Structure formats: C-alpha cells, structure tokens
C-alpha cells in the first residue's frame, strides 16, 4: 500500500494581507484520478496532512533553461501530408542549400509533384510492402480478388484530426474494410522516409550515413490537438527516427510556422503577389491568378532537375519592408486541413511571435473530393458507390486519380468542359448492380451540368467543377473573415497563401476578392514545397519562433483552505480539525497565454508528513481558461510526477520543511514537467502525455 502523499504550497500572489489569500494548496496523490466529473480523489487518500511553504515564483529565464543543443550533421524534414508527402534536407555546414528528395517513380498524368501520394500498402500478412506511387501502382495491378486481401490506405492522416479520443490503440480502416492500428501505419510510413533519406544521404556522402547524425523534423497542422501531435512523436519513436531518451533529435514543427519561416527568405522573383497593381515578374495582377501562376510553375518545373534550392542568408525583399511589430497571416491550405496563424515581427533578429493561437479546420482540398463523391452518389446512388468502393477498391482509387488531375485544371475563367474517365469496371459493375447503363443513370439523375460522353467519360461543365470547390472555399473565407475581426489581427500587412491547395486558382481568386483591399496577398512560387523547406530551416534554427500561444490551460490538482460561501459544500474535506477544499485546479499557464520559448514556471511544495517517502504531483489540462476544479467538464489528466523522497534529508541540520520544486517548461511544441527534491537533488521528469491517461 503506497503511503498517502501530499504537498502544500503557497501562491505567488502579491496580496499584502497574506491571511486573506486562500491560494495555499496541496497537490493530491491520486495516481489513478479519473479525468472529469468524478468523485474527489483527495477523499480516498487517507491522511493528507499538509504544511505551507514560501511563496512560489515564476522564472522567466527563457533561454538559459533550454538544454545544450546537440550537434547534427544534417537536418531532414518530413512533410507528412494528407494527400502527398515528401522530405527535404540540408547539411548544417551548408544551411543555405536545401535539397528536395529524389524524383519518385510513377506519377500521374496532369499532376506534377515533387512529393509522392500519402498511400501505403501492406501484404495480406500485414507486413509493409510499399509507399506512394509504388504502393498505388502495385495495388492497381493486383487481380480484384487478390486485391481484397491486401491492405491499402490513403489520406489516413485526417484520422488524427477527427478522432476525439485518440489513443495508441486507435485504428484505421483499409480500402478492403479491414482494421489496423494507426500507430503501425504511421510508423511504417515514417520508417520508409527514414530509409529513403538515409540511403540518399549515404549515396551523396559516399559512405554509410548514421541516423544519429540526423536531426529529424516532422510537420503537423497547428490546429491539431496535443494528443495528435504526441501521437506523431510516438510513431516516429517506433520508426526509429529518435527515442524518448534522445527526444531532442526529433522536432515536431507546426506547418504554418514552417511556412512563415520560409516566407521570410522570399526574394521578389520567388513569389507572386495577387494584390499587386504593378507588374511582378513581368506580368500584371490581371494575369497573375491564371497565366502568372502557370509561368511560375513552369519556372519551378525547369529548376526541378537540380532539386537544390538556395536560400540566401538574408531577409527577403518583402520581409525587409516589415517593421518591428508588423503583423502577417499565414494561410496554410493543404489536403486535409487549413491552418491560420498570425505572426508578428520582432527586431533586430527578425524573430517571430505568435499573436493569435492557430485556428482553422478540416477545409482542405479533400473537401472537394468529398463533394465529387456526393455528386456520384446523387447520380448513381449511395448504395452502389459504397458497394463499388468495397468490391472494386483499386478501380475506385483510379477514379479518384482521374478526378484529381481534372480538379487541378479548374479555374475561374475556364469555358471548356472537364472530362473525367470512368474506369471500365465502374461501367461494368454498375450495369450488373442496377441492370441499366451509366448513361441511363445520368439521364435519369436530373444533374444537368454533368453529361455522358461517348468516349466513356463524365463531362462536367466548368460551373459544375467550381460548385464542387465552393463549400470548401466558402469555409476558408468565412474562417478568415472571423479571424480578421479579432483585435489582435487588425492592421495585417501581408497574407501568405501556402500549401498544396494554394495552387488552386479558384482559392486564389476567392482570397484576393475577399481580402485584397485589406492586405497584400503573396503566394510563393513553389507553394507546395514551402512547408517542407521552412521545416528544414526550422530544424537548423529552432529558436527562430520566440513566442507562442499556449493551446491549453495547464495546472495541478490541489487543496485550498475551505472558505464558507466561496467553495462548494461537496468539496469540503475535514482533516485533523482543518477544513480543506479539494480538487482545486491551480493554473501554471492559461489557454491562449503568450509563452516564450523555453519559459519555466516554477512552484514550491512540501510533503505533508516528515516521514513521507513518496510524492505524486498530477498535471491536468483543459481547453478552457476559466477552470476552477479538476472535476470540471473537459479537464483531463495529462501527466504524473512521482518523486522518491527517501535519502539524506533527515538529521539535525535538516530544514524543518523539505522543499520540492516543480517546474514546467513551455514554448516548444512539446511541454515538459519536472520535480526536484531540493534536499537531495533527486529529480524526476515527465513529458506531458495525452495518450496514456
């Protein structure tokens, strides 16, 4: 039986009358405290005697607290996207050269990309087989009966965003309906990138390249909740990129932050300004959305053979126009999510400060695919589409590839129709399923803007294609409008549009029409690689982002002196004649509060009894900042510090009260907590954990 454990601490308030301050508290010892609306953990603790200690203080020695940086020979960034993924790297001795990975085998007609589709194929025995184009092509060539045995997964990253109760056991569903642990799939994918990158680095170096020489950076959407970010780190550990013992080898970077870092380096010839009235790159703003972007893409395509991008070690021209305190928005529109981040410049170094916590939602280009699927259901029936996906999974993949290439041809001023090839097995299976032809279904469906062409294609009018984009683009514009109304976002100078979906002329035009009069709208030319390159730069200098907004409120469960009329009667606990209020949530930091990189919050406690041999401090989090008790809805336990107090603290010279310091370090995308027994210098560390509590 573990001895009951408790500590007590005085608040850091500045009230002149300390007697009036009731913020003294005890950290409870319930190791298995449930996470919300539960009976008080403190009541079951047995003897929870407590003793106050001196006031706590917050230490803002931000940079001195950051651990000594390890040195790596190379930084490899992996942009693990919803629809496509890739990696890039830079040697720390040549930080101005960013190398994008080797060309992938395969590729789609009408789709040029330096990344590969985020698709993975496992054998019927659930062993890794292939990734990207190779996975898709192999799966496509399998006999339909055999294909049903193989596990093919695509666009699975969104599961981490959409799963409310994400755990290490969360499952994904393959195209054949079979389930597999998400952690395995993510680890397989990251392991594949690790092997590809190390092989390329070894080829370049002419000798075996060790993983220990690599600092890895993995990008995630800023709007992902903490469990999803932690899940990605766990998958990377399983894939062997880094380990919990050497956690610094892996950085989880936020996608819009990475984009922001890269945008700082842009020269005029590397971007397109949609709002520009004068000619940029030799073309005027009228041409910019259509012709200018095509010209830019051609320029990028020609430069692709080298795969090496020079990032000049200077601030780009656009950036040099920004002054201390200037604000800009980064809109990262990818396959699955759209992330909006507001940054402010801090001179002289040009460090970035996050002004408003990342917002956004599932408004990526996948939304357009869902609209297309809804259209197919309307024409051919939902029952048929569901059956077709299960019975002919490879043909469904083919159909979506055909749609992807036409989707990229959509433009505001397009007049000629877009043809989408229907796979033969779609036409054949439909006839068997319904007893009549695809053509008959189209005539009967009353969908005027989609016709059947004799070459076996769906012929969509430009308006029909634009209508598929509309719900997703409307959501993005509406979200941006809401953001622009926030006081922190007033007087924004630039809006950088980045991410794969930013290539869509329809999105560019909508953003320009809605916000062109408020700020200058800039698109980097190699817009699909912006995040990847920025992630490499971030890996080379992680301290460039100086101030972030905390996405959650963090604190610990404590005991306060019970105050009649202030505290709820059900929270009253009487111990040895003293009245305590249990379950108080005492904040270390509040949601949306500015946090400097490496900022430490430090508090002091003392064990309840001199004989106590162990102390347990439980850490809690909440999305709200107005939390009073750890039993409030939405409060969840996310960490536990267990400190062994046995050892040299006794003896005549021992202090009357034993000090236990608790520190929380914020500012990185991960948060660390630590408890130190001052008498013995014993310490215990923990990473805040959202997946195992």
């Amino acid at each position: 039986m573990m001895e009951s454990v408790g500590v007590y601490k005085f608040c850091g308030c500045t009230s002149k009358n300390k007697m009036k301050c009731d913020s003294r508290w005890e950290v409870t010892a319930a190791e298995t405290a449930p996470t919300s609306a539960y009976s008080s953990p403190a009541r079951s603790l047995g003897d929870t005697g407590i003793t106050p200690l001196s006031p706590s203080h917050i230490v803002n020695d931000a940079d001195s607290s950051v651990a000594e940086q390890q040195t790596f020979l190379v930084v490899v960034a992996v942009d693990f996207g919803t629809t496509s993924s890739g990696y890039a790297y830079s040697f720390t001795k040549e930080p101005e050269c960013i190398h994008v990975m080797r060309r992938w085998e395969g590729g789609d007609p009408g789709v040029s990309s330096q990344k590969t589709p985020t698709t993975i194929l496992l054998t019927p025995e659930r062993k890794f087989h292939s990734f990207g184009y190779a996975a898709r092509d192999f799966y496509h060539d399998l006999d339909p009966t055999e294909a049903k045995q193989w596990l093919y997964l695509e666009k699975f990253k969104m599961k981490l965003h959409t799963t409310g109760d994400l755990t290490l056991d969360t499952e994904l569903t393959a195209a054949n309906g079979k389930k597999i642990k998400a952690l395995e799939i993510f680890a397989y994918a990251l392991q594949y990138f690790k092997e590809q990158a190390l092989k390329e680095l070894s080829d370049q170096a002419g000798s075996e390249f060790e993983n220990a020489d690599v600092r890895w950076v993995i990008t995630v959407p800023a709007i992902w909740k903490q469990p999803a970010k932690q899940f990605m780190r766990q998958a990377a550990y399983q894939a062997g990129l880094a380990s919990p013992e050497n956690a610094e080898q892996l950085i989880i970077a936020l996608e819009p932050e990475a984009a922001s870092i890269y945008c700082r380096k842009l020269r005029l010839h590397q971007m397109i300004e949609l709002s520009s009235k004068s000619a940029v790159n030799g073309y005027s703003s009228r041409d910019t959305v259509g012709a200018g972007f095509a010209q830019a893409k051609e320029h990028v395509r020609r430069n692709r053979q080298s795969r090496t991008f020079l990032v000049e070690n200077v601030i780009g021209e656009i950036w040099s126009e920004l002054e201390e305190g200037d604000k800009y928005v980064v809109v990262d529109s990818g396959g699955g999510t759209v992330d909006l981040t507001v940054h402010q410049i801090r001179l002289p170094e040009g460090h970035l400060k996050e002004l408003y916590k990342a917002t956004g939602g599932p408004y990526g280009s996948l939304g357009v695919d869902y609209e297309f699927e809804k259209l197919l259901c309307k024409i051919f029936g939902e029952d048929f589409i569901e059956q077709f996906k299960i019975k002919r999974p490879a043909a469904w993949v083919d159909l979506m590839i055909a749609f992807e290439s036409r989707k990229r041809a959509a433009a505001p001023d397009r007049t000629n129709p877009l043809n989408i090839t229907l796979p033969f097995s779609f036409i054949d299976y439909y006839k068997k399923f319904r007893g009549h032809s695809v053509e008959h279904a189209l005539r009967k469906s009353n969908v005027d803007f989609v016709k059947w062409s004799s070459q076996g294609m769906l012929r969509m009018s430009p308006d029909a294609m634009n209508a598929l984009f509309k719900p997703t683009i409307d959501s993005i514009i509406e979200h941006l409008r809401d953001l622009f109304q926030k006081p922190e976002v007033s007087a924004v100078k630039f809006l950088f549009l980045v991410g794969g979906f930013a290539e869509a002329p329809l999105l560019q035009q909508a953003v320009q029409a809605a916000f062109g009069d408020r700020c200058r709208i800039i698109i980097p030319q190699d817009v699909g690689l912006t995040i990847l390159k920025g992630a490499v730069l971030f890996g080379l200098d992680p301290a460039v982002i100086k101030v972030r907004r905390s996405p959650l409120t963090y604190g610990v469960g404590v005991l306060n002196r019970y105050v009649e009329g202030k505290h709820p009667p059900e929270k009253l606990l009487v111990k040895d004649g003293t009245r305590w209020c249990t379950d108080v949530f005492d904040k270390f930091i509040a949601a949306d509060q500015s946090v400097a990189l490496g900022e430490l919050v430090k508090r002091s406690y003392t064990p309840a009894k001199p004989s106590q041999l162990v102390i347990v401090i439980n850490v809690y989090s909440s999305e709200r900042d107005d939390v009073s008790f750890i039993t409030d809805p939405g409060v969840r336990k996310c960490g536990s510090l267990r400190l062994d107090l046995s050892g040299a603290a006794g003896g005549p010279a021992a202090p009357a009260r034993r000090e236990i310091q608790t520190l929380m370090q914020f500012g990185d995308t991960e948060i660390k907590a630590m408890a130190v027994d001052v008498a013995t210098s014993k310490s215990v560390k923990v990473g805040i954990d959202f997946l195992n509590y």
Side-chain angles (χ1 to χ4, degrees):
M1 170 81 182
M2 187 185 92
E3 187 157 5
S4 78
V5 287
V7 289
Y8 186 34
K9 169 264 170 198
F10 223 67
C11 84
C13 83
T14 53
S15 164
K16 287 195 173 69
N17 186 347
K18 286 288 177 197
M19 296 305 290
K20 283 186 183 165
C21 171
D22 65 352
S23 297
R24 292 164 292 173
W25 37 284
E26 186 210 53
V27 177
T28 65
E31 280 198 283
T32 52
T35 54
S36 69
Y38 47 82
S39 62
S40 167
R43 292 180 193 283
S44 59
L45 286 180
D47 181 11
T48 52
I50 47 180
T51 322
L53 197 62
S54 61
S56 71
H57 54 294
I58 291 182
V59 183
N60 285 328
D61 51 341
D63 286 329
S64 62
S65 63
V66 178
E68 202 52 46
Q69 292 296 320
Q70 254 178 290
T71 51
F72 299 97
L73 296 180
V74 68
V75 169
V76 179
V78 178
D79 179 4
F80 196 124
T82 305
T83 47
S84 60
S85 298
Y87 67 87
Y89 58 93
S90 177
F91 292 98
T92 46
K93 284 202 173 79
E94 299 179 292
E96 64 286 349
C97 290
I98 298 176
H99 310 270
V100 176
M101 64 196 185
R102 293 193 267 227
R103 289 290 294 162
W104 300 84
E105 324 72 46
D108 297 328
V111 178
S112 77
S113 175
Q114 258 186 296
K115 296 199 276 187
T116 193
T118 309
T119 52
I120 194 166
L121 182 64
L122 307 190
T123 65
E125 296 75 43
R126 297 174 172 246
K127 292 278 174 281
F128 175 80
H129 180 271
S130 46
F131 187 90
Y133 289 119
R136 220 176 54 188
D137 296 347
F138 186 91
Y139 182 62
H140 172 264
D141 294 342
L142 285 169
D143 174 78
T145 336
E146 204 185 340
K148 283 184 208 164
Q149 304 308 310
W150 290 67
L151 283 82
Y152 177 81
L153 295 101
E154 60 178 356
K155 299 169 185 165
F156 47 84
K157 180 182 166 189
M158 276 302 279
K159 181 84 175 181
L160 298 196
H161 180 68
T162 54
T163 305
D165 53 349
L166 185 69
T167 70
L168 295 176
D169 295 321
T170 294
E171 292 186 316
L172 298 170
T173 307
N176 61 0
K178 290 185 178 167
K179 293 200 178 305
I180 185 159
K181 275 193 179 177
L183 189 68
E184 280 182 47
I185 294 297
F186 280 85
Y188 275 142
L190 290 170
Q191 193 174 351
Y192 172 77
F193 279 114
K194 175 190 163 191
E195 285 165 9
Q196 292 291 317
L198 286 176
K199 188 172 186 312
E200 185 173 337
L201 289 166
S202 298
D203 290 352
Q204 229 180 323
S207 60
E208 197 67 26
F209 215 91
E210 296 293 326
N211 187 62
D213 295 329
V214 180
R215 161 165 265 164
W216 294 94
V217 181
I218 299 175
T219 62
V220 301
I223 53 163
W224 268 14
K225 293 198 170 16
Q226 295 300 110
K229 294 173 185 171
Q230 187 189 332
F231 187 96
M232 213 54 161
R233 182 169 275 278
Q234 286 301 128
Y237 290 160
Q238 194 160 316
L241 272 67
S243 65
E245 298 71 44
N246 193 11
E248 288 70 31
Q249 190 176 359
L250 169 68
I251 296 175
I252 301 290
L254 306 181
E255 287 164 7
E257 282 191 356
S260 185
I261 292 163
Y262 180 65
C263 288
R264 303 170 62 196
K265 303 279 188 181
L266 287 175
R267 310 304 302 248
L268 283 175
H269 65 272
Q270 294 171 311
M271 67 196 176
I272 296 147
E273 183 167 354
L274 293 188
S275 43
S276 129
K277 301 291 176 282
S278 58
V280 175
N281 287 2
Y283 40 86
S284 71
S285 58
R286 274 195 319 284
D287 315 325
T288 307
V289 169
F293 208 73
Q295 191 178 328
K297 279 163 95 169
E298 176 58 26
H299 169 79
V300 170
R301 195 187 60 73
R302 282 201 305 273
N303 287 349
R304 277 195 172 147
Q305 308 322 310
S306 70
R307 295 184 308 107
T308 298
F309 294 82
L310 286 174
V311 179
E312 296 168 58
N313 200 13
V314 295
I315 296 295
E317 283 103 334
I318 277 283
W319 215 259
S320 60
E321 293 181 34
L322 288 168
E323 295 160 5
E324 171 81 46
D326 276 351
K327 306 168 191 175
Y328 63 96
V329 177
V330 176
V331 180
D332 168 22
S333 45
T337 50
V338 167
D339 260 346
L340 313 176
T341 306
V342 188
H343 279 155
Q344 186 175 40
I345 305 294
R346 297 175 70 186
L347 297 176
E349 304 91 346
H351 287 141
L352 308 181
K353 174 181 180 178
E354 187 183 9
L355 270 195
Y356 187 74
K357 72 174 175 189
T359 60
Y363 318 129
S365 59
L366 274 190
V368 185
D369 299 359
Y370 294 143
E371 288 301 315
F372 178 60
E373 196 177 315
K374 269 160 62 179
L375 179 66
L376 292 176
C377 288
K378 192 173 172 184
I379 298 169
F380 303 108
E382 198 172 334
D383 54 344
F384 166 71
I385 295 296
E386 287 311 310
Q387 274 304 301
F388 180 69
K389 281 166 136 179
I390 292 164
K391 293 285 195 295
R392 302 281 187 276
W396 174 255
V397 170
D398 271 1
L399 175 54
M400 292 314 286
I401 290 168
F403 174 68
E404 179 68 28
S405 114
R406 302 327 297 142
K407 180 171 97 179
R408 289 174 182 244
D413 48 2
R414 191 181 175 103
T415 51
N416 50 333
L418 295 125
N419 294 325
I420 296 158
T421 309
L422 282 183
F424 170 73
S425 64
F426 186 99
I427 299 166
D428 181 53
Y429 191 66
Y430 184 78
K431 198 164 177 67
K432 284 180 186 154
F433 190 89
R434 287 270 190 255
H436 58 244
S437 70
V438 162
E439 194 176 352
H440 175 81
L442 269 163
R443 275 204 308 274
K444 212 178 74 190
S445 70
N446 299 326
V447 178
D448 300 336
F449 40 78
V450 182
K451 300 279 183 270
W452 178 246
S453 106
S454 51
Q455 294 95 29
M457 294 179 177
L458 289 180
R459 177 164 287 177
M460 291 182 77
S461 71
D463 286 350
M465 181 59 94
N466 295 1
L468 299 181
F469 278 79
K470 191 173 174 357
T472 303
I473 289 177
D474 284 354
S475 295
I476 294 170
I477 299 298
E478 190 185 336
H479 216 93
L480 268 168
R481 279 215 172 92
D482 288 350
L483 182 70
F484 271 93
Q485 279 166 2
K486 303 278 188 286
E488 300 93 329
V489 190
S490 59
V492 161
K493 247 191 184 176
F494 293 106
L495 185 154
F496 291 101
L497 197 54
V498 303
F501 195 28
E503 290 182 5
L506 290 164
L507 176 60
Q508 294 174 19
Q509 188 201 43
V511 172
Q512 168 61 19
F515 307 105
D517 56 344
R518 290 194 181 195
C519 57
R520 292 165 64 182
I521 295 161
I522 309 284
I523 305 179
Q525 274 184 359
D526 48 351
V527 65
L529 297 174
T530 306
I531 290 157
L532 196 47
K533 295 178 192 173
V536 173
L537 294 172
F538 185 50
L540 291 165
D541 179 18
V544 64
I545 305 278
K546 280 292 183 198
V547 179
R548 282 205 178 87
R549 295 268 166 174
S550 174
L552 297 171
T553 296
Y554 292 96
V556 286
V558 304
L559 294 182
N560 269 358
R561 288 291 178 120
Y562 187 82
V563 177
E564 206 71 55
K566 176 182 175 183
H567 294 134
E570 66 272 16
K571 297 291 181 193
L572 174 63
L573 177 71
V574 181
K575 268 284 175 227
D576 301 330
T578 307
R579 293 153 63 84
W580 300 108
C581 176
T582 63
D583 305 333
V584 175
F585 185 114
D586 192 275
K587 293 175 202 171
F588 268 65
I589 208 145
D592 206 26
Q593 194 175 326
S594 285
V595 190
L597 180 79
E599 185 168 324
L600 278 179
V601 180
K602 185 168 161 185
R603 303 267 164 92
S604 293
Y605 307 87
T606 190
K609 295 189 298 193
S611 60
Q612 208 164 294
L613 295 179
V614 73
I615 169 179
V616 174
I617 299 168
N618 288 325
V619 185
Y620 296 88
S621 69
S622 169
E623 289 184 19
R624 295 173 28 216
D625 60 0
D626 57 340
V627 193
S628 303
F629 297 98
I630 59 175
T631 51
D632 287 355
V635 174
R636 60 184 288 182
K637 184 174 165 188
C638 58
S640 203
L641 288 159
R642 191 172 190 278
L643 187 60
D644 177 6
L645 297 184
S646 57
R657 289 173 185 163
R658 186 162 180 172
E659 184 179 359
I660 308 296
Q661 286 184 350
T662 303
L663 305 96
M664 252 197 228
Q665 187 175 35
F666 298 91
D668 190 2
T669 44
E670 280 81 42
I671 293 150
K672 302 172 185 78
M674 181 166 132
V676 182
D677 179 358
V678 175
T680 62
S681 299
K682 271 188 195 170
S683 69
V684 59
K685 289 180 185 175
V686 68
I688 300 300
D689 186 345
F690 292 93
L691 296 171
N692 293 309
Y693 284 100

